[in-house]
Amino acid sequence: MHRRWILYTLLASWLIVFGYSFFAPTGIVATDTGFLPGLNRFQVFMRWHISAIAFAVAAAVFGRQARSDFRKWLSKMPLLVHLVATVVLTSYVFSAYNAATAPPPADQISTK
């Protein structure tokens, strides 16, 4: 088997697993009504996401040996996508935290 087809197989596997990581938690009912409701959905998302990262790392390591510059660039794209997704999700979590802990506007404060 040619090395490029192994690289393409790794990239296709990454794309499938990465895409499925967003749809896998949708069919799961949120459990626990306590402090962290729905954490089981996040766990499923992270399991699939970590599996996708494994394919991305394998593609990046395998792509270092590619002869074509395009294939070298293409093999690094999954890791870049994961980096961007991590930054976006982290900023979303912190913005939601800041919105939840911010004091109410002055016009909504009751003086009664």
Side-chain angles (χ1 to χ4, degrees):
M1 185 180 232
H2 294 289
R3 290 182 181 203
R4 67 179 168 180
W5 292 112
I6 295 173
L7 178 63
Y8 293 152
T9 303
L10 286 171
L11 292 172
S13 301
W14 168 80
L15 187 61
I16 291 168
V17 173
F18 182 73
Y20 187 70
S21 70
F22 293 100
F23 294 108
T26 59
I28 296 173
V29 178
T31 59
D32 190 20
T33 58
F35 181 64
L36 297 171
L39 187 61
N40 58 336
R41 290 180 182 168
F42 182 71
Q43 290 172 347
V44 169
F45 170 76
M46 287 307 296
R47 284 183 191 139
W48 282 100
H49 210 68
I50 290 171
S51 300
I53 289 173
F55 280 111
V57 168
V61 169
F62 196 79
R64 289 176 57 191
Q65 301 169 358
R67 294 180 185 161
S68 167
D69 288 336
F70 174 73
R71 278 185 241 142
K72 286 181 182 180
W73 175 81
L74 187 65
S75 68
K76 294 175 183 137
M77 280 295 101
L79 287 177
L80 182 63
V81 168
H82 279 285
L83 178 66
V84 169
T86 301
V87 168
V88 168
L89 288 174
T90 304
S91 65
Y92 176 73
V93 168
F94 282 122
S95 67
Y97 175 75
N98 288 337
T101 59
D107 61 342
Q108 293 181 359
I109 297 176
S110 175
T111 57
K112 294 181 182 181

